[in-house]
Amino acid sequence: MSNQSTQFSRKDFLKTLFLGSLMIPFLQYCSKKGKSLLLKITGTNHILGHKLWAKDFPKPTEEIHTKYLIVGGGISGLSACRFFSQNNEQDYLLLEMENHLGGNSSNGQNQFSKFPLGAHYLPLPNKENTEIIKFLKETGIYQGDDETGDPILDEYQMTFPQQERLFFKNSWQNDIVPQNGISTKAKTEFDRFFKRMDDFRNKKDESGSYWFAIPVHDSSREDKVLQLEKIIFKDWLKKENFMSEELLWMLDYSCRDDYGLGIDHVSAWAGIHYFAGRKNNWSKKYKDQVFTWPEGNARLAKHFSKYIKDKALSNHLVFNVKINDNDVEVLSFDNIQNKTKKIIAEKVLFATPQFVNERILNHKKAGNFNYVPWLLTTITLRNDFGGDEELAWDNVIYGSDGLGYIYDQHQNVEQIMGEKVITYYRSFSTDNCKKARKRLYALKENQLKNLVLEDLKKAHPLIEDFIIEMQFHKIGHAMIAPVPGQIFENSENAKQPIDGKVFFAHSDLSGISIFEEAFYQGWRTAKNML
């Protein structure tokens, strides 16, 4: 025997616990036949939002004064509130149309688990993203550094094993990169592609700026970089002789997963940024893991609550803005009390998407912004659903129109669990997002059920026998799509303030809808306002 004492990290403990739990049988039901399905639809409050088109609201009966008004309670608006508060400015008010804050970082909950209603994870930030790292320290996720200078992270808020798997050629494999049974030519293309992405990840211009950075604002503006933003990703891949079916599928899946649209629609710059924007340079130990929670990024949104206590009004739809010499008058409809309020502020921050701003401000500031519709389906399954093998956190089906599903109880350290809860994601990758949005809103419960199950049955033919409940969550304008010209042309024009009184902050001004960009837009704009 070795005389050295054995030490286990929390990560080792979690692995042991997870593998050990597979040996413990779950409680079984007597019948293998599933119960009758409960189907229900939720979604963003597009009915209230569409009232912006008519603007048929009552005259104001209440007046509120504040120094800074923030319109929109997504991550950008919450990040702005955080910046104001941390810089000794407490005279601000936030308005949100929905009945909750968080935007796409929201969640639902049933008796078995919380589950995301939008974004569900946060990759480890680049070491250059000091503001995000500071935020992670505030939340307790980042707990300081070890003796080597590597960050100490709360492993209970990171992915456990197994992180991801792919249903490919009728069996499950680890990782989402197709591996088993692919040709030597395809393997060579994968190697060549990832080598190119490594080169792009480290590439800088003469001034020292990365070609591909997070936030996007810090990326190089060299002509060679800008040219990549003007062409379609698929065209660039063809030019670079990347043609294997498996590689093209993986790249299309990756773009749909982060941007909503696939390689036929996004710019080459955006497609490369997916792989090259994250530098993997903050931690040596946790390169492959991400932060995640049963409720998804709603956990992160909740950390902003101390900055908006008694400073936020939900169910409030802003519908009119008047810029005066010394202030800004904003009219907002209170959907609970059914009355209009006038808010007078020195400066206003619109942390809302551009299609909303255009309706409120009655003018168009930039070119077309393409917003991709998404469908999320949270499925409650009997606990004897095995998923063929143990469920991974992320479960992807090769060749699927959907994006697979996540296992919402992935981080549950209990050895015996009740029913299983998974959330299926699907974006509608098309050149006509408006048409896709209308189609999504028109689909009824049984149509949605068939759409989702047709996809999932490719990997789980008998899944319907185990389903107890399906909740469909429609998001008509889920995320901005980085089509050619979006990032360095449309977005740059749209972020310009009006008369030094009306400012803009939203992830669509980055051209990429990720937590880091929304967070950055909020504090950047709040800083400019101060």
PDB file of all heavy atoms in Angstrom, residues 409-429:
ATOM      1  N   GLN A 409     -32.351  18.034 -13.845  1.00  0.00           N
ATOM      2  CA  GLN A 409     -31.930  17.573 -12.520  1.00  0.00           C
ATOM      3  C   GLN A 409     -30.510  17.025 -12.530  1.00  0.00           C
ATOM      4  O   GLN A 409     -30.109  16.291 -11.635  1.00  0.00           O
ATOM      5  CB  GLN A 409     -32.914  16.498 -12.024  1.00  0.00           C
ATOM      6  CG  GLN A 409     -34.323  17.018 -11.806  1.00  0.00           C
ATOM      7  CD  GLN A 409     -35.374  15.972 -12.150  1.00  0.00           C
ATOM      8  OE1 GLN A 409     -35.341  15.388 -13.213  1.00  0.00           O
ATOM      9  NE2 GLN A 409     -36.294  15.733 -11.233  1.00  0.00           N
ATOM     10  N   HIS A 410     -29.760  17.422 -13.542  1.00  0.00           N
ATOM     11  CA  HIS A 410     -28.394  16.937 -13.728  1.00  0.00           C
ATOM     12  C   HIS A 410     -27.530  17.078 -12.477  1.00  0.00           C
ATOM     13  O   HIS A 410     -26.706  16.217 -12.169  1.00  0.00           O
ATOM     14  CB  HIS A 410     -27.769  17.705 -14.898  1.00  0.00           C
ATOM     15  CG  HIS A 410     -26.295  17.566 -15.050  1.00  0.00           C
ATOM     16  ND1 HIS A 410     -25.706  16.433 -15.558  1.00  0.00           N
ATOM     17  CD2 HIS A 410     -25.285  18.422 -14.760  1.00  0.00           C
ATOM     18  CE1 HIS A 410     -24.394  16.597 -15.575  1.00  0.00           C
ATOM     19  NE2 HIS A 410     -24.113  17.791 -15.097  1.00  0.00           N
ATOM     20  N   GLN A 411     -27.727  18.171 -11.745  1.00  0.00           N
ATOM     21  CA  GLN A 411     -26.869  18.426 -10.580  1.00  0.00           C
ATOM     22  C   GLN A 411     -27.479  17.953  -9.267  1.00  0.00           C
ATOM     23  O   GLN A 411     -26.971  18.278  -8.197  1.00  0.00           O
ATOM     24  CB  GLN A 411     -26.564  19.921 -10.496  1.00  0.00           C
ATOM     25  CG  GLN A 411     -25.636  20.389 -11.602  1.00  0.00           C
ATOM     26  CD  GLN A 411     -25.882  21.832 -11.953  1.00  0.00           C
ATOM     27  OE1 GLN A 411     -26.982  22.220 -12.322  1.00  0.00           O
ATOM     28  NE2 GLN A 411     -24.854  22.640 -11.850  1.00  0.00           N
ATOM     29  N   ASN A 412     -28.544  17.181  -9.338  1.00  0.00           N
ATOM     30  CA  ASN A 412     -29.163  16.654  -8.125  1.00  0.00           C
ATOM     31  C   ASN A 412     -28.266  15.574  -7.522  1.00  0.00           C
ATOM     32  O   ASN A 412     -27.996  14.548  -8.151  1.00  0.00           O
ATOM     33  CB  ASN A 412     -30.540  16.068  -8.462  1.00  0.00           C
ATOM     34  CG  ASN A 412     -31.371  15.783  -7.226  1.00  0.00           C
ATOM     35  OD1 ASN A 412     -30.835  15.554  -6.141  1.00  0.00           O
ATOM     36  ND2 ASN A 412     -32.681  15.780  -7.395  1.00  0.00           N
ATOM     37  N   VAL A 413     -27.780  15.803  -6.299  1.00  0.00           N
ATOM     38  CA  VAL A 413     -26.873  14.835  -5.664  1.00  0.00           C
ATOM     39  C   VAL A 413     -27.628  13.804  -4.837  1.00  0.00           C
ATOM     40  O   VAL A 413     -27.014  12.955  -4.196  1.00  0.00           O
ATOM     41  CB  VAL A 413     -25.810  15.542  -4.786  1.00  0.00           C
ATOM     42  CG1 VAL A 413     -24.910  16.404  -5.639  1.00  0.00           C
ATOM     43  CG2 VAL A 413     -26.467  16.375  -3.687  1.00  0.00           C
ATOM     44  N   GLU A 414     -28.967  13.883  -4.834  1.00  0.00           N
ATOM     45  CA  GLU A 414     -29.756  12.842  -4.165  1.00  0.00           C
ATOM     46  C   GLU A 414     -29.612  11.538  -4.949  1.00  0.00           C
ATOM     47  O   GLU A 414     -29.592  11.529  -6.171  1.00  0.00           O
ATOM     48  CB  GLU A 414     -31.229  13.236  -4.111  1.00  0.00           C
ATOM     49  CG  GLU A 414     -31.505  14.521  -3.348  1.00  0.00           C
ATOM     50  CD  GLU A 414     -31.234  14.379  -1.859  1.00  0.00           C
ATOM     51  OE1 GLU A 414     -31.340  13.252  -1.349  1.00  0.00           O
ATOM     52  OE2 GLU A 414     -30.901  15.398  -1.225  1.00  0.00           O
ATOM     53  N   GLN A 415     -29.519  10.410  -4.236  1.00  0.00           N
ATOM     54  CA  GLN A 415     -29.305   9.142  -4.915  1.00  0.00           C
ATOM     55  C   GLN A 415     -30.605   8.541  -5.440  1.00  0.00           C
ATOM     56  O   GLN A 415     -30.580   7.704  -6.331  1.00  0.00           O
ATOM     57  CB  GLN A 415     -28.609   8.154  -3.976  1.00  0.00           C
ATOM     58  CG  GLN A 415     -27.187   8.601  -3.637  1.00  0.00           C
ATOM     59  CD  GLN A 415     -26.443   7.562  -2.831  1.00  0.00           C
ATOM     60  OE1 GLN A 415     -27.045   6.683  -2.253  1.00  0.00           O
ATOM     61  NE2 GLN A 415     -25.127   7.666  -2.812  1.00  0.00           N
ATOM     62  N   ILE A 416     -31.727   8.924  -4.889  1.00  0.00           N
ATOM     63  CA  ILE A 416     -33.010   8.458  -5.380  1.00  0.00           C
ATOM     64  C   ILE A 416     -33.857   9.676  -5.720  1.00  0.00           C
ATOM     65  O   ILE A 416     -34.053  10.550  -4.888  1.00  0.00           O
ATOM     66  CB  ILE A 416     -33.740   7.584  -4.335  1.00  0.00           C
ATOM     67  CG1 ILE A 416     -32.917   6.334  -4.016  1.00  0.00           C
ATOM     68  CG2 ILE A 416     -35.119   7.186  -4.858  1.00  0.00           C
ATOM     69  CD1 ILE A 416     -33.542   5.449  -2.948  1.00  0.00           C
ATOM     70  N   MET A 417     -34.327   9.713  -6.952  1.00  0.00           N
ATOM     71  CA  MET A 417     -35.099  10.863  -7.401  1.00  0.00           C
ATOM     72  C   MET A 417     -36.490  10.421  -7.830  1.00  0.00           C
ATOM     73  O   MET A 417     -36.726   9.249  -8.128  1.00  0.00           O
ATOM     74  CB  MET A 417     -34.390  11.543  -8.569  1.00  0.00           C
ATOM     75  CG  MET A 417     -33.076  12.208  -8.173  1.00  0.00           C
ATOM     76  SD  MET A 417     -32.288  13.029  -9.568  1.00  0.00           S
ATOM     77  CE  MET A 417     -31.682  11.622 -10.486  1.00  0.00           C
ATOM     78  N   GLY A 418     -37.395  11.352  -7.883  1.00  0.00           N
ATOM     79  CA  GLY A 418     -38.725  11.070  -8.400  1.00  0.00           C
ATOM     80  C   GLY A 418     -38.734  11.191  -9.905  1.00  0.00           C
ATOM     81  O   GLY A 418     -37.799  10.768 -10.588  1.00  0.00           O
ATOM     82  N   GLU A 419     -39.773  11.821 -10.431  1.00  0.00           N
ATOM     83  CA  GLU A 419     -39.889  11.949 -11.875  1.00  0.00           C
ATOM     84  C   GLU A 419     -38.738  12.771 -12.459  1.00  0.00           C
ATOM     85  O   GLU A 419     -38.165  13.625 -11.796  1.00  0.00           O
ATOM     86  CB  GLU A 419     -41.230  12.594 -12.231  1.00  0.00           C
ATOM     87  CG  GLU A 419     -42.407  11.629 -12.265  1.00  0.00           C
ATOM     88  CD  GLU A 419     -42.805  11.071 -10.911  1.00  0.00           C
ATOM     89  OE1 GLU A 419     -42.261  11.547  -9.892  1.00  0.00           O
ATOM     90  OE2 GLU A 419     -43.647  10.161 -10.858  1.00  0.00           O
ATOM     91  N   LYS A 420     -38.423  12.490 -13.706  1.00  0.00           N
ATOM     92  CA  LYS A 420     -37.354  13.203 -14.408  1.00  0.00           C
ATOM     93  C   LYS A 420     -37.945  14.385 -15.176  1.00  0.00           C
ATOM     94  O   LYS A 420     -39.061  14.307 -15.704  1.00  0.00           O
ATOM     95  CB  LYS A 420     -36.627  12.259 -15.367  1.00  0.00           C
ATOM     96  CG  LYS A 420     -35.844  11.145 -14.702  1.00  0.00           C
ATOM     97  CD  LYS A 420     -35.096  10.340 -15.751  1.00  0.00           C
ATOM     98  CE  LYS A 420     -34.152   9.332 -15.101  1.00  0.00           C
ATOM     99  NZ  LYS A 420     -34.888   8.202 -14.501  1.00  0.00           N
ATOM    100  N   VAL A 421     -37.171  15.473 -15.248  1.00  0.00           N
ATOM    101  CA  VAL A 421     -37.606  16.678 -15.965  1.00  0.00           C
ATOM    102  C   VAL A 421     -36.516  17.051 -16.963  1.00  0.00           C
ATOM    103  O   VAL A 421     -35.354  17.233 -16.591  1.00  0.00           O
ATOM    104  CB  VAL A 421     -37.866  17.854 -14.997  1.00  0.00           C
ATOM    105  CG1 VAL A 421     -38.358  19.077 -15.774  1.00  0.00           C
ATOM    106  CG2 VAL A 421     -38.892  17.461 -13.937  1.00  0.00           C
ATOM    107  N   ILE A 422     -36.904  17.138 -18.236  1.00  0.00           N
ATOM    108  CA  ILE A 422     -35.974  17.539 -19.284  1.00  0.00           C
ATOM    109  C   ILE A 422     -36.553  18.741 -20.025  1.00  0.00           C
ATOM    110  O   ILE A 422     -37.769  18.960 -20.027  1.00  0.00           O
ATOM    111  CB  ILE A 422     -35.682  16.396 -20.275  1.00  0.00           C
ATOM    112  CG1 ILE A 422     -36.951  16.006 -21.052  1.00  0.00           C
ATOM    113  CG2 ILE A 422     -35.121  15.179 -19.539  1.00  0.00           C
ATOM    114  CD1 ILE A 422     -36.709  14.985 -22.162  1.00  0.00           C
ATOM    115  N   THR A 423     -35.702  19.535 -20.656  1.00  0.00           N
ATOM    116  CA  THR A 423     -36.157  20.678 -21.456  1.00  0.00           C
ATOM    117  C   THR A 423     -35.557  20.591 -22.851  1.00  0.00           C
ATOM    118  O   THR A 423     -34.339  20.555 -23.011  1.00  0.00           O
ATOM    119  CB  THR A 423     -35.781  22.016 -20.798  1.00  0.00           C
ATOM    120  OG1 THR A 423     -36.427  22.107 -19.522  1.00  0.00           O
ATOM    121  CG2 THR A 423     -36.241  23.186 -21.664  1.00  0.00           C
ATOM    122  N   TYR A 424     -36.444  20.528 -23.814  1.00  0.00           N
ATOM    123  CA  TYR A 424     -36.090  20.408 -25.237  1.00  0.00           C
ATOM    124  C   TYR A 424     -36.053  21.801 -25.858  1.00  0.00           C
ATOM    125  O   TYR A 424     -36.930  22.629 -25.608  1.00  0.00           O
ATOM    126  CB  TYR A 424     -37.132  19.525 -25.916  1.00  0.00           C
ATOM    127  CG  TYR A 424     -37.154  19.536 -27.426  1.00  0.00           C
ATOM    128  CD1 TYR A 424     -36.389  18.635 -28.160  1.00  0.00           C
ATOM    129  CD2 TYR A 424     -37.980  20.421 -28.123  1.00  0.00           C
ATOM    130  CE1 TYR A 424     -36.439  18.621 -29.551  1.00  0.00           C
ATOM    131  CE2 TYR A 424     -38.039  20.411 -29.510  1.00  0.00           C
ATOM    132  CZ  TYR A 424     -37.265  19.506 -30.220  1.00  0.00           C
ATOM    133  OH  TYR A 424     -37.320  19.492 -31.591  1.00  0.00           O
ATOM    134  N   TYR A 425     -35.037  22.051 -26.674  1.00  0.00           N
ATOM    135  CA  TYR A 425     -34.855  23.353 -27.319  1.00  0.00           C
ATOM    136  C   TYR A 425     -34.980  23.214 -28.838  1.00  0.00           C
ATOM    137  O   TYR A 425     -34.496  22.251 -29.426  1.00  0.00           O
ATOM    138  CB  TYR A 425     -33.463  23.922 -27.010  1.00  0.00           C
ATOM    139  CG  TYR A 425     -33.323  24.505 -25.633  1.00  0.00           C
ATOM    140  CD1 TYR A 425     -33.171  23.688 -24.513  1.00  0.00           C
ATOM    141  CD2 TYR A 425     -33.325  25.886 -25.427  1.00  0.00           C
ATOM    142  CE1 TYR A 425     -33.027  24.226 -23.241  1.00  0.00           C
ATOM    143  CE2 TYR A 425     -33.186  26.435 -24.160  1.00  0.00           C
ATOM    144  CZ  TYR A 425     -33.040  25.592 -23.076  1.00  0.00           C
ATOM    145  OH  TYR A 425     -32.905  26.126 -21.821  1.00  0.00           O
ATOM    146  N   ARG A 426     -35.619  24.207 -29.432  1.00  0.00           N
ATOM    147  CA  ARG A 426     -35.717  24.221 -30.897  1.00  0.00           C
ATOM    148  C   ARG A 426     -35.778  25.661 -31.384  1.00  0.00           C
ATOM    149  O   ARG A 426     -36.644  26.432 -30.968  1.00  0.00           O
ATOM    150  CB  ARG A 426     -36.961  23.466 -31.359  1.00  0.00           C
ATOM    151  CG  ARG A 426     -37.088  23.339 -32.883  1.00  0.00           C
ATOM    152  CD  ARG A 426     -38.353  22.576 -33.230  1.00  0.00           C
ATOM    153  NE  ARG A 426     -38.431  22.257 -34.650  1.00  0.00           N
ATOM    154  CZ  ARG A 426     -38.654  21.039 -35.117  1.00  0.00           C
ATOM    155  NH1 ARG A 426     -38.795  20.022 -34.288  1.00  0.00           N
ATOM    156  NH2 ARG A 426     -38.758  20.831 -36.414  1.00  0.00           N
ATOM    157  N   SER A 427     -34.846  26.037 -32.247  1.00  0.00           N
ATOM    158  CA  SER A 427     -34.927  27.330 -32.924  1.00  0.00           C
ATOM    159  C   SER A 427     -35.455  27.079 -34.328  1.00  0.00           C
ATOM    160  O   SER A 427     -35.451  25.953 -34.814  1.00  0.00           O
ATOM    161  CB  SER A 427     -33.557  28.005 -32.978  1.00  0.00           C
ATOM    162  OG  SER A 427     -32.716  27.335 -33.918  1.00  0.00           O
ATOM    163  N   PHE A 428     -35.917  28.132 -34.975  1.00  0.00           N
ATOM    164  CA  PHE A 428     -36.465  27.998 -36.317  1.00  0.00           C
ATOM    165  C   PHE A 428     -35.526  28.715 -37.283  1.00  0.00           C
ATOM    166  O   PHE A 428     -35.633  29.921 -37.489  1.00  0.00           O
ATOM    167  CB  PHE A 428     -37.893  28.546 -36.366  1.00  0.00           C
ATOM    168  CG  PHE A 428     -38.853  27.719 -35.556  1.00  0.00           C
ATOM    169  CD1 PHE A 428     -38.956  27.902 -34.181  1.00  0.00           C
ATOM    170  CD2 PHE A 428     -39.603  26.726 -36.142  1.00  0.00           C
ATOM    171  CE1 PHE A 428     -39.815  27.126 -33.414  1.00  0.00           C
ATOM    172  CE2 PHE A 428     -40.467  25.937 -35.391  1.00  0.00           C
ATOM    173  CZ  PHE A 428     -40.575  26.134 -34.022  1.00  0.00           C
ATOM    174  N   SER A 429     -34.576  27.944 -37.825  1.00  0.00           N
ATOM    175  CA  SER A 429     -33.533  28.490 -38.690  1.00  0.00           C
ATOM    176  C   SER A 429     -34.080  28.656 -40.104  1.00  0.00           C
ATOM    177  O   SER A 429     -34.317  27.685 -40.823  1.00  0.00           O
ATOM    178  CB  SER A 429     -32.312  27.557 -38.690  1.00  0.00           C
ATOM    179  OG  SER A 429     -31.276  28.100 -39.469  1.00  0.00           O
TER     180      SER A 429
END
